[in-house]
Amino acid sequence: MSAMKFTVSAIAMVAASATGAMARDNIQIAGSSTVLPYATIVAEAFGENFDFPTPVVEGGGSGGGRKKLCEGVGENTIDIANSSSRIKQSDIDLCATNGVNEIMEVRIGYDGIVFASDINGPDFALTPSDVYAALGATVAKDGALVANPAKTWADANAALPAQQILAFIPGTKHGTREVFDIKLLEEGCKATGAYDLFIAASAGADDDAKKEEAVAKCLEVRTDGASVDIDGDYTETLARIDANKNGVGVFGLSFYQNNTDKLKVATIDGKIPTVESIAAGDYPVSRPLFFYVKKAHIGVIPGLKEFIEFFVSDDMAGPEGPLAAYGLVSDPELAKTQADVAGEVPMGPLN
Amino acid sequence: MSDATSQMPAAARPKHSLFEPDARTRRRNAAETRFRFFGASAIVVAVLALVILLASVLGSGLGAFRQTFIHIPITLDATALDKGGNRNPEDMKKVTTIGYAKILEQGLKAAIAEKGLTVDPALTAKQIAGLMSQDAAAQLRNQVLADPSLLGQTIEFSALANGRVDGFLKGRVTLESAARDSNISPAQLNLVSEMKDAGLVSLDFNPAFITSGDASEVRPEAAGLGVAILGSAYMMLIVLVLSLPIGVAASIYLEEFAPKNKLTDMIEVNISNLAAVPSIVFGILGLAIFINFMGLPQSAPIVGGLVLTLMTLPTIIIATRAALKAVPPSIRDAALGVGASKMQAIFHHALPLAMPGILTGTIIGLAQALGETAPLLLIGMVAFVRETPGAPPEGFFDPASALPVQVYNFTQRADPAFVERASGAIIVLLVFLVIMNAVAIMLRRRFERRW
């Protein structure tokens, strides 16, 4: 009869625990894996110094986090979505259909995106044009569009080392890829003249359609194995470079700063990526990092307001704080962000 | 007849003797030798793979159980740490870890000066303080808040060392790599060497790796498995308590009582199909049913346990049915023959004999569930969780992590020190699995009956 006893006690247990379901007392955060380390650093310090429990921080990518945020209002939905790119109108619409009307947008700072190669390899001094000439699917050559013929970096730009082209770039689901596309491929495409050729060759109805088609063409990377999309995180990119010393990878600045003993960073437009050069706006490839807060949860989930205020406080996000030490480029307009957070100002429509 | 044999020509007799195998026998023998060789080489390959796996995991993971500590006397300045002077823990909480970090910095400097160690003048105060983990300040704060009477005293404090310092003592970080490393300088490491000779720094056993929660990227040295172990244990408890009775009851009914018709056939086929469904599907189901519909919290062991229960049930049902089938019909017939009811025949005679098979199936199902990551991804358990969940049953609803998830989490971190911790977590997971399998073998031996 022990099976019977087991069953009865199991049912009793489930019943007892189901009635004991209680209000959530911890903050739940999900989203971008780029923002994740910063969020964990703040969560840890928050748990140590406040009477509230340490928030639970999940990854899942910027888009995934925003989607989860927009699932609705209530204790079984998350409170904050981390995002390495700005929220999209489609997210806001999804939020609105699920009753999430007021979202606060908080910009925590900027993140640099760097090219880095094996520490013992040659130095790289890249420009967006070089990147496009090496990785674009179709490039301009003698005034005509041809499938990218470059085999080595020296083929793309004679000043670069004669090393076989092998780039590990973030996969399309990463927020980092968007910045890579806009700041490097598109810029490079325009600078090398390929953009104009794409427009000339476009069969679009009007100028806007032609431009759109040209931009889309610019963002196509070669598929002959010289450029590899990495869908995992930076640790995977690092492992690939470890395995193939010819590789050049795209990393976040903070990841590079934690692995300076294995990686050599490339300059872009002659600028070395550092927290300072990005803050000054010299280094061209950077992007803002955000988190989005569901305003309806403030006052319901204990500690939520305190947490977001703590996140953007000078002790954390300021230029001397632990986030800057880890690689976040502090936002020069942090004071305005602090005021917005204190006043619980929801974000307006996207412009 | 005998004439016929005697008249047979000598050529018709077999040409070979028993001592000389003919071509066919040789071929058969050769085939057997080949087969034995293949079998033995398969074993060798399997053992080699296991040895390489264990060697690599143990080689890189055992270090996680030992950690570098800096042992220094700390004077707890009452005026700095208790500004109100009333020893009230609520007031003392106003001093954050930043305040405690300053106390630690002073303590470390004093200890270095006292031992008369040479400090490279290029080292800044921040760099010297950076030898200690940022977690040390939190440890000290917790210790003081728990016992305010420590204020004003000088205590012997063992501060966790920074991950790079720890790597230096473990041989992961060298002076050459430090020269290129933006997080540590050779001058700092030289100071560490001197401190080690003076007895201020040592590698000790680190129980916190087993007991404490996860830690952020900036303090890999403080990251532990406590939350993950508890979370896994809670989930296994839920899986066991739910899936064993449901699974056993379902299989007894299906095997012994259910009429054999199209419906039961269909159920049978579907149970076998369910056992082969990829686990991530159960995660999606769990998200839809338990979180979105029933409103259970995210990241909670209860949801993880329920999802894993769904995943384990088919395994248990199949194992239990096989075990019941293996009980000879004569046992049931004999019981029925002396007047037992059908239920008595099953529960008193068939079930005890099937017990070893049921238990083995259950524990194998549990072990499988223990190592499962994919379904937990969807219900929010692949997360940074630092707070230890409470005692059950409330604890089932607190956020927690799980061991395989923690391994995955550690491997994604940027700091190289997390590689060691990931391997350490794998060791703990393997120990759990070995224990569970050992229990399975023990139970089987104990309950086994032969006839």
Side-chain angles (χ1 to χ4, degrees):
Chain A
M1 285 296 160
S2 63
M4 281 293 277
K5 272 187 203 157
F6 245 143
T7 321
V8 172
S9 51
I11 292 168
M13 212 172 105
V14 170
S17 46
T19 51
M22 66 221 95
R24 174 153 67 85
D25 58 0
N26 60 280
I27 299 165
Q28 295 216 328
I29 306 168
S32 164
S33 46
T34 308
V35 186
L36 180 75
Y38 302 115
T40 56
I41 291 168
V42 179
E44 191 172 60
F46 182 73
E48 266 164 24
N49 287 315
F50 287 76
D51 270 343
F52 303 105
T54 309
V56 174
V57 193
E58 227 188 304
S62 302
R66 295 195 302 250
K67 207 168 144 236
K68 272 182 127 178
L69 185 81
C70 291
E71 269 172 2
V73 176
E75 273 167 9
N76 60 339
T77 59
I78 62 167
D79 311 309
I80 297 175
N82 292 328
S83 180
S84 59
S85 50
R86 206 151 179 235
I87 196 165
K88 301 219 161 37
Q89 191 56 44
S90 58
D91 294 318
I92 297 178
D93 295 343
L94 177 69
C95 269
T97 35
N98 290 332
V100 184
N101 293 318
E102 284 191 309
I103 310 167
M104 288 164 66
E105 182 181 62
V106 183
R107 189 174 58 207
I108 58 168
Y110 293 84
D111 176 39
I113 289 170
V114 308
F115 269 92
S117 53
D118 186 68
I119 183 88
N120 297 318
D123 288 321
F124 278 89
L126 298 170
T127 62
S129 308
D130 298 341
V131 174
Y132 187 76
L135 302 178
T138 315
V139 294
K141 192 164 190 181
D142 306 328
L145 289 169
V146 290
N148 196 337
K151 295 240 169 353
T152 66
W153 288 96
D155 292 342
N157 176 353
L160 289 172
Q163 180 175 314
Q164 185 207 337
I165 297 175
L166 178 63
F168 301 110
I169 63 172
T172 43
K173 71 168 189 178
H174 285 277
T176 316
R177 176 62 175 268
E178 220 178 291
V179 190
F180 176 83
D181 281 351
I182 296 169
K183 296 277 170 76
L184 290 171
L185 287 182
E186 204 180 316
E187 291 283 316
C189 184
K190 285 178 180 162
T192 54
Y195 178 76
D196 295 330
L197 293 172
F198 281 133
I199 289 199
S202 169
D206 52 19
D207 274 2
D208 279 351
K210 283 185 180 181
K211 277 183 189 159
E212 207 171 292
E213 195 186 322
V215 168
K217 287 262 191 210
C218 283
L219 301 188
E220 280 174 20
V221 291
R222 55 202 292 189
T223 50
D224 55 0
S227 168
V228 182
D229 276 19
I230 303 287
D231 277 327
D233 46 24
Y234 297 136
T235 46
E236 190 187 336
T237 314
L238 180 62
R240 292 285 194 101
I241 290 180
D242 246 7
N244 190 337
K245 306 286 185 204
N246 280 333
V248 177
V250 174
F251 296 95
L253 178 67
S254 58
F255 189 91
Y256 159 70
Q257 287 192 335
N258 269 291
N259 290 283
T260 45
D261 55 332
K262 298 190 201 73
L263 292 171
K264 180 183 273 179
V265 76
T267 60
I268 298 208
D269 288 344
K271 300 287 186 303
I272 301 167
T274 58
V275 169
E276 292 78 27
S277 67
I278 293 168
D282 291 340
Y283 183 78
V285 197
S286 69
R287 45 125 180 237
L289 299 178
F290 300 94
F291 65 80
Y292 292 90
V293 186
K294 202 179 286 177
K295 207 183 154 190
H297 283 195
I298 292 180
V300 179
I301 304 296
L304 182 55
K305 177 86 184 288
E306 286 83 348
F307 176 73
I308 55 179
E309 282 186 321
F310 183 62
F311 204 133
V312 296
S313 66
D314 288 334
D315 280 347
M316 283 286 135
E320 297 298 315
L323 299 188
Y326 187 71
L328 182 77
V329 180
S330 185
D331 187 350
E333 294 169 22
L334 194 62
K336 182 182 175 300
T337 310
Q338 288 166 352
D340 283 354
V341 165
E344 299 179 18
V345 181
M347 69 180 289
L350 287 181
N351 38 26
Chain B
M1 257 328 237
S2 64
D3 276 8
T5 26
S6 69
Q7 278 169 12
M8 257 175 79
R13 265 197 280 147
K15 269 183 276 182
H16 53 269
S17 74
L18 277 176
F19 300 101
E20 275 177 51
D22 64 0
R24 198 163 149 260
T25 315
R26 271 203 297 275
R27 266 204 316 278
R28 290 194 314 180
N29 288 350
E32 186 176 326
T33 318
R34 270 202 310 277
F35 180 76
R36 284 184 184 211
F37 172 72
F38 289 146
S41 20
I43 297 270
V44 169
V45 169
V47 168
L48 260 183
L50 186 67
V51 166
I52 291 171
L53 175 87
L54 282 181
S56 76
V57 167
L58 289 178
S60 54
L62 278 179
F65 294 91
R66 276 148 55 83
Q67 204 66 42
T68 307
F69 287 93
I70 301 179
H71 310 280
I72 40 172
I74 296 286
T75 308
L76 295 167
D77 183 0
T79 49
L81 297 179
D82 184 15
K83 291 188 175 116
N86 52 11
R87 298 292 188 271
N88 179 354
E90 286 306 314
D91 290 343
M92 283 163 58
K93 275 183 185 164
K94 284 189 189 122
V95 181
T96 62
T97 44
I98 297 164
Y100 283 86
K102 281 182 192 136
I103 299 262
L104 277 173
E105 193 183 323
Q106 288 159 8
L108 181 60
K109 263 192 203 155
I112 290 173
E114 191 201 351
K115 294 274 181 188
L117 304 180
T118 47
V119 181
D120 192 323
L123 280 180
T124 62
K126 203 175 169 187
Q127 278 180 312
I128 294 176
L131 296 179
M132 289 182 293
S133 164
Q134 296 181 32
D135 203 57
Q139 284 172 27
L140 185 64
R141 183 170 181 265
N142 288 342
Q143 198 176 332
V144 172
L145 288 181
D147 183 8
S149 67
L150 289 176
L151 279 184
Q153 296 181 26
T154 299
I155 58 167
E156 276 300 321
F157 186 70
S158 294
L160 270 175
N162 177 295
R164 299 288 153 112
V165 174
D166 181 53
F168 180 56
L169 262 71
K170 286 174 182 164
R172 190 175 60 233
V173 175
T174 58
L175 288 173
E176 289 84 59
S177 75
R180 299 187 301 249
D181 197 325
S182 59
N183 291 320
I184 195 106
S185 69
Q188 280 174 300
L189 292 184
N190 286 331
L191 178 60
V192 171
S193 306
E194 287 210 24
M195 285 165 72
K196 192 182 165 203
D197 294 337
L200 288 179
V201 172
S202 65
L203 257 181
D204 300 326
F205 176 66
N206 178 28
F209 181 60
I210 305 290
T211 54
S212 70
D214 200 355
S216 74
E217 299 260 359
V218 287
R219 36 178 106 156
E221 59 280 355
L225 297 171
V227 176
I229 291 175
L230 257 186
S232 275
Y234 284 1
M235 287 197 295
M236 287 308 107
L237 191 69
I238 293 168
V239 173
L240 181 70
V241 164
L242 290 178
S243 66
L244 184 62
I246 297 177
V248 171
S251 23
I252 290 176
Y253 180 78
L254 276 177
E255 194 60 37
E256 308 279 350
F257 293 100
K260 293 267 171 272
N261 56 25
K262 282 232 166 92
L263 185 69
T264 47
D265 278 352
M266 226 175 78
I267 291 175
E268 249 166 66
V269 170
N270 278 317
I271 287 172
S272 311
N273 281 342
L274 270 185
V277 166
S279 54
I280 187 112
V281 175
F282 289 105
I284 296 173
L285 185 81
L287 175 69
I289 296 182
F290 300 123
I291 294 181
N292 291 345
F293 176 68
M294 286 171 65
L296 289 172
Q298 300 224 8
S299 317
I302 180 92
V303 182
L306 288 171
V307 168
L308 294 179
T309 302
L310 293 181
M311 210 194 78
T312 316
L313 263 179
T315 316
I316 294 186
I317 293 180
I318 291 171
T320 309
R321 295 193 59 185
L324 280 172
K325 265 201 195 99
V327 176
S330 56
I331 303 274
R332 289 188 195 85
D333 292 344
L336 293 173
V338 295
S341 72
K342 194 161 184 193
M343 199 173 145
Q344 282 172 323
I346 291 162
F347 278 91
H348 295 181
H349 301 279
L351 198 57
L353 287 175
M355 222 44 181
I358 297 175
L359 289 174
T360 313
T362 308
I363 291 178
I364 287 173
L366 279 183
Q368 200 186 342
L370 179 70
E372 202 55 69
T373 328
L376 304 181
L377 198 78
L378 289 159
I379 57 167
M381 288 198 84
V382 185
F384 170 81
V385 186
R386 198 174 152 75
E387 213 81 11
T388 314
E394 284 84 18
F396 290 149
F397 294 87
D398 290 344
S401 181
L403 272 173
V405 163
Q406 202 65 60
V407 174
Y408 172 73
N409 243 337
F410 282 162
T411 55
Q412 296 201 310
R413 305 282 176 85
D415 197 301
F418 277 108
V419 175
E420 173 191 88
R421 307 200 94 74
S423 298
I426 294 174
I427 295 176
V428 173
L429 186 61
L430 286 181
V431 166
F432 264 70
L433 288 174
V434 167
I435 291 174
M436 284 172 77
N437 285 337
V439 168
I441 293 172
M442 246 173 54
L443 286 175
R444 197 163 59 213
R445 289 261 166 86
R446 237 185 118 166
F447 284 105
E448 204 159 44
R449 278 188 221 168
R450 293 174 190 284
W451 49 78

